[in-house]
Amino acid sequence: MPAFMGAEPLSLQADPRTYWLWLAAVLGPGCEHTGELLDVYGSAQEVYRVRAQEDFSPYMPKPACQRLLRSEPEDYQAVLDHCRSRGIAVLTPECEDYPAAFAYLPDLPLVLYCTGKPELLNGRHTVGIVGSRRPSQYGVEACRTLGGEMARAGAVIVSGLADGLDGEAHRAAVQAGAPTVGILGCPIDQTYPAGNRNLRIKMEQNGAVLSEYGPGAHTVGQRYVFLQRNRLIAALSEALCVMEARLKSGTLNTVHHAQRYAKPVYALPGSIFSPLSEGTNHLLAEGIARPLLHAADVLQELGLSPKAAPGPAAKSTACSPDAKTVLALIGPVPKPLETLCEESGLSVGQILAALTELELAGKIIPLAGRRYQLK
């Protein structure tokens, strides 16, 4: 019997992706037996075909088994239509642009939502860069320098589009004119934190943003979602670089996944007096990570060669009116975001857009605590 012919009559014109959306909703994100389920049944269509006859308890918890019969693939056509209208690509394991790096994960995502350029998800050298959300200036400078050098050499920088060093890694790639991939821990139609919206727009022009969570999902603030996201950062990266991390942090959770997937891990050595370097120094002391001293340390692993940074003339000096206003208020002494809002008379959204523009132009330096100073 053909895989699409089940007990219930189905439209012969049904988009095959609706079956994957259905099965993803049944299992939920990060189901640890998803790979086993597909090894046995091959596809979401086949799971649907035999859903009333087979015992699926070895592959999913009881609530998921109960959900098998409560919905139909056609119920998810509206999701596809909505994504199409919003320019969101819906990728399943049957799609050409679905990351091959995810195909053999035991807890692979059955559906990925993507904005930007999904064709970048395969056939490119990738480096994951992760670290503290409240980094030191040392961590910021190292991330910018090393991340920029890797990006210019042809490595696609992968990170989580979060505050701190995730954002710095993406900015380094954007400043280098190179593609970068952000993997969200929130729905694809949201940006968390919201302050990275303008950075995301720039990333999507030459790179991609991914999420397991479709438009309208409710996940923001749920810690387990970000821990699930970390496995995808590790899986998509050929090598993982840890810039700064406390001894107990979500960053080290990403390292755990990199170890599961036998990916090489690099860590930036730091001061023995800095809590932000306790995690990275621990990785080095335990032999879990290799020292990250130069971009070439990682590039050689990928078979890439470093390239020189462009001279100052390559940088654009043009600024928007809002950016010029904000730039005039920033000096060598760090100034908080709140002060810039008060002094400029601009809205928070205008300030954040101007600050992102100035950061990408290399004119200012963002510091911990949302403070900024001239570069």
Side-chain angles (χ1 to χ4, degrees), residues 289-303:
R290 309 171 192 178
L292 178 57
L293 304 177
H294 307 282
D297 297 333
V298 181
L299 294 174
Q300 289 174 359
E301 178 82 29
L302 275 57

Side-chain angles (χ1 to χ4, degrees), residues 342-363:
E342 294 172 3
E343 295 180 353
S344 68
L346 300 174
S347 69
V348 174
Q350 289 174 303
I351 288 285
L352 290 173
L355 289 170
T356 298
E357 180 181 340
L358 293 171
E359 288 176 43
L360 294 175
K363 296 179 182 296

Side-chain angles (χ1 to χ4, degrees), residues 24-202:
V26 166
L27 295 178
C31 178
E32 61 181 342
H33 298 298
T34 300
E36 294 179 49
L37 178 69
L38 293 184
D39 285 344
V40 173
Y41 294 97
S43 69
Q45 293 94 324
E46 181 64 12
V47 173
Y48 177 80
R49 187 183 73 81
V50 300
R51 63 178 180 163
Q53 292 84 39
E54 296 282 320
D55 175 17
F56 287 97
S57 59
Y59 313 109
M60 61 186 78
K62 185 176 180 179
C65 290
Q66 295 170 342
R67 287 195 293 268
L68 278 169
L69 302 174
R70 291 180 182 171
S71 63
E72 297 291 328
E74 63 191 28
D75 297 339
Y76 296 90
Q77 183 61 50
V79 176
L80 285 178
D81 294 340
H82 177 72
C83 288
R84 186 179 299 111
S85 69
R86 297 287 299 275
I88 300 170
V90 179
L91 308 179
T92 74
E94 293 178 332
C95 296
E96 180 181 1
D97 290 328
Y98 183 90
F102 295 167
Y104 301 102
L105 299 183
D107 47 4
L108 77 158
L110 293 176
V111 175
L112 288 167
Y113 302 88
C114 179
T115 56
K117 300 181 181 300
E119 62 269 21
L120 285 169
L121 302 176
N122 291 293
R124 304 293 293 267
H125 289 297
T126 52
V127 175
I129 297 182
V130 295
S132 172
R133 297 190 179 187
R134 296 291 181 267
S136 69
Q137 186 57 35
Y138 166 68
V140 169
E141 288 296 329
C143 188
R144 287 178 183 162
T145 301
L146 299 174
E149 290 178 8
M150 294 178 202
R152 284 191 295 274
V156 175
I157 303 300
V158 179
S159 197
L161 197 51
D163 267 336
L165 295 179
D166 282 24
E168 293 298 340
H170 293 307
R171 286 187 187 92
V174 170
Q175 289 176 345
T180 179
V181 175
I183 303 182
L184 300 175
C186 65
I188 192 65
D189 58 345
Q190 299 177 26
T191 304
Y192 183 80
N196 279 341
R197 285 174 184 164
N198 288 292
L199 172 60
R200 175 177 179 173
I201 291 170
K202 291 183 179 294

Side-chain angles (χ1 to χ4, degrees), residues 174-246:
V174 170
Q175 289 176 345
T180 179
V181 175
I183 303 182
L184 300 175
C186 65
I188 192 65
D189 58 345
Q190 299 177 26
T191 304
Y192 183 80
N196 279 341
R197 285 174 184 164
N198 288 292
L199 172 60
R200 175 177 179 173
I201 291 170
K202 291 183 179 294
M203 290 169 58
E204 289 169 339
Q205 294 171 3
N206 198 30
V209 176
L210 285 179
S211 177
E212 284 186 271
Y213 304 95
H218 301 286
T219 65
V220 171
Q222 299 177 10
R223 185 171 183 270
Y224 76 90
V225 169
F226 294 95
L227 296 179
Q228 286 181 344
R229 178 272 308 275
N230 291 344
R231 83 191 194 283
L232 301 183
I233 294 176
L236 192 59
S237 305
E238 289 180 74
L240 181 69
C241 299
V242 185
M243 293 298 181
E244 274 187 326
R246 295 181 181 273

Side-chain angles (χ1 to χ4, degrees), residues 279-321:
T280 49
N281 289 342
H282 170 76
L283 293 175
L284 293 168
E286 294 297 316
I288 296 171
R290 309 171 192 178
L292 178 57
L293 304 177
H294 307 282
D297 297 333
V298 181
L299 294 174
Q300 289 174 359
E301 178 82 29
L302 275 57
L304 297 173
S305 300
K307 293 184 179 179
K315 293 184 178 180
S316 172
T317 58
C319 288
S320 67

